[in-house]
Amino acid sequence: MRLAGFLLVILSTVMNVTMAKEVVLPVKLTKDTLVPIVKLNINGKSQRFMFDSGSQTALHLPLDTLQQLPQAVKQEDDNLSTDLSGNIISASKYLLQHVHINGIDFENIQAVELKPWGFAYSSDPSEKLPPAQDDDLPVVGLALFKNHTITLDFAHKKIIVDDDNDFDGTDKGWMMLPYRYHPQEGLIITVTDQSKQYNLVLDTASTLSIIASGSLPEKYNNGNNLAMTDSDSSTLRQDKNGDLQILNVYLANPSMSNKSIQVAIMDNMPKEFESDGLLGINFLKKYKVKIDQKNQKLWIKPAN
């Protein structure tokens, strides 16, 4: 009996350790821009973060915060990036040798100085300016979880982080989906309009899914079907009523060929952006996405 009791204690301890590896992060979508917000506890200090899967840097933090973090080493070169408005952003770059976040220890994390970036659009014609983004809000990128499995479940307002690198959800309604990784742009998923395939970056910081007009067949850009804008800067294409021009695309998988994804057409997307567009929140509210970057696996299933 004592031996059995001892083994039970050991087993219980192992189970508790295993369960402790799963961390659930509640998600709140902002009212106007639908940007996902999570609370992270970094080295004992709790703070709100925007979750941006399109960022290839683990953390974007205010410069004074970076300078005060222990084991933060400033790098000699700056981080350069280009947003969808065509702006080039230069930011100080740091290596965080060790940081404790929501009960998980992270080693050798890349972080950069927080700088405003992005493309803003208002669907309300009465608004002179688009909804303002909170440029002071720090950002956490998908790169932070490169050694963990992360489940994006925005329909149920949560992100799950765990160490289940042997996940096989084929018997639970999950479908494995191929993806590739672009070192500057991020995780890329292939979609199709039933005649051509497009590479879209999974981007949780994008309210809309968008596609570059330059990637579309000629019939969409000759003025007969969709009116192009006259602007030289990045802009979302609209019809004569001011409504966005929408294209229906589908995941490049036969079992998902009847489930359309609406993407807005963007004219004059910066040439530095090599992918064809973005998969944004309108996609992520319809599907759960489980990503294992360590083993380069991705699963997807309808959220309901």
Side-chain angles (χ1 to χ4, degrees):
M1 291 294 293
R2 287 185 179 181
L3 178 59
F6 176 75
L7 290 175
L8 182 61
V9 170
I10 293 296
L11 180 60
S12 175
T13 301
V14 171
M15 290 178 62
N16 287 334
V17 169
T18 302
M19 292 177 63
K21 291 183 180 180
E22 179 177 287
V23 175
V24 178
L25 304 176
V27 172
K28 180 179 180 181
L29 297 179
T30 56
K31 181 179 179 181
D32 294 322
T33 57
L34 298 182
V35 169
I37 305 298
V38 297
K39 277 190 178 181
L40 297 183
N41 187 303
I42 297 183
N43 291 351
K45 182 178 179 181
S46 181
Q47 192 170 359
R48 296 191 317 141
F49 282 74
M50 178 176 77
F51 179 70
D52 183 0
S53 65
S55 170
Q56 302 320 295
T57 303
L59 294 170
H60 298 248
L61 297 168
L63 185 58
D64 58 347
T65 300
L66 283 168
Q67 293 171 338
Q68 294 172 16
L69 280 175
Q71 301 188 50
V73 180
K74 189 177 186 306
Q75 306 297 284
E76 292 184 3
D77 57 325
D78 287 344
N79 183 76
L80 296 177
S81 60
T82 304
D83 66 12
L84 285 187
S85 297
N87 300 315
I88 298 176
I89 300 103
S90 176
S92 298
K93 187 165 56 176
Y94 284 76
L95 176 67
L96 307 184
Q97 295 174 318
H98 177 84
V99 64
H100 190 73
I101 303 176
N102 287 60
I104 304 175
D105 290 314
F106 296 88
E107 311 291 338
N108 298 320
I109 296 301
Q110 293 289 338
V112 298
E113 174 190 1
L114 179 66
K115 292 283 188 74
W117 81 89
F119 174 87
Y121 164 80
S122 174
S123 59
D124 185 350
S126 67
E127 292 182 355
K128 294 183 179 180
L129 295 173
Q133 297 189 24
D134 191 346
D135 292 334
D136 295 327
L137 200 64
V139 175
V140 55
L142 191 62
L144 179 66
F145 308 103
K146 62 183 179 180
N147 292 319
H148 302 272
T149 298
I150 182 169
T151 303
L152 309 181
D153 185 2
F154 288 175
H156 299 97
K157 299 180 180 179
K158 61 184 178 181
I159 294 172
I160 302 171
V161 184
D162 61 56
D163 291 331
D164 187 3
N165 294 324
D166 296 320
F167 176 81
D168 181 6
T170 52
D171 60 338
K172 299 178 182 178
W174 290 91
M175 179 187 67
M176 187 174 289
L177 200 65
Y179 80 90
R180 66 183 182 86
Y181 183 79
H182 189 292
Q184 280 78 46
E185 297 172 8
L187 192 153
I188 294 175
I189 295 175
T190 301
V191 301
T192 178
D193 62 1
Q194 308 292 28
S195 61
K196 181 181 178 181
Q197 291 191 339
Y198 307 95
N199 295 318
L200 304 186
V201 177
L202 187 69
D203 190 353
T204 59
S206 178
T207 304
L208 301 169
S209 296
I210 62 174
I211 193 165
S213 60
S215 298
L216 297 174
E218 185 178 352
K219 67 177 182 179
Y220 292 106
N221 295 305
N222 60 13
N224 294 328
N225 295 337
L226 301 174
M228 296 183 66
T229 60
D230 296 326
S231 173
D232 291 331
S233 60
S234 301
T235 182
L236 293 175
R237 192 181 289 185
Q238 301 177 1
D239 61 21
K240 61 182 179 180
N241 297 318
D243 296 324
L244 291 179
Q245 297 279 13
I246 297 296
L247 179 70
N248 286 323
V249 297
Y250 306 83
L251 293 171
N253 185 295
S255 63
M256 307 293 286
S257 60
N258 63 339
K259 300 180 184 297
S260 64
I261 303 163
Q262 291 191 329
V263 293
I265 297 175
M266 173 175 276
D267 289 320
N268 303 311
M269 186 177 287
K271 62 181 183 300
E272 292 84 1
F273 192 74
E274 297 179 3
S275 301
D276 299 310
L278 306 173
L279 278 176
I281 292 296
N282 65 315
F283 168 76
L284 287 161
K285 290 178 71 175
K286 294 173 62 175
Y287 295 97
K288 296 180 184 178
V289 179
K290 185 182 290 286
I291 308 164
D292 176 1
Q293 297 176 85
K294 190 173 182 179
N295 295 301
Q296 298 182 327
K297 294 180 180 179
L298 182 148
W299 295 266
I300 186 172
K301 69 182 297 186
N304 49 17

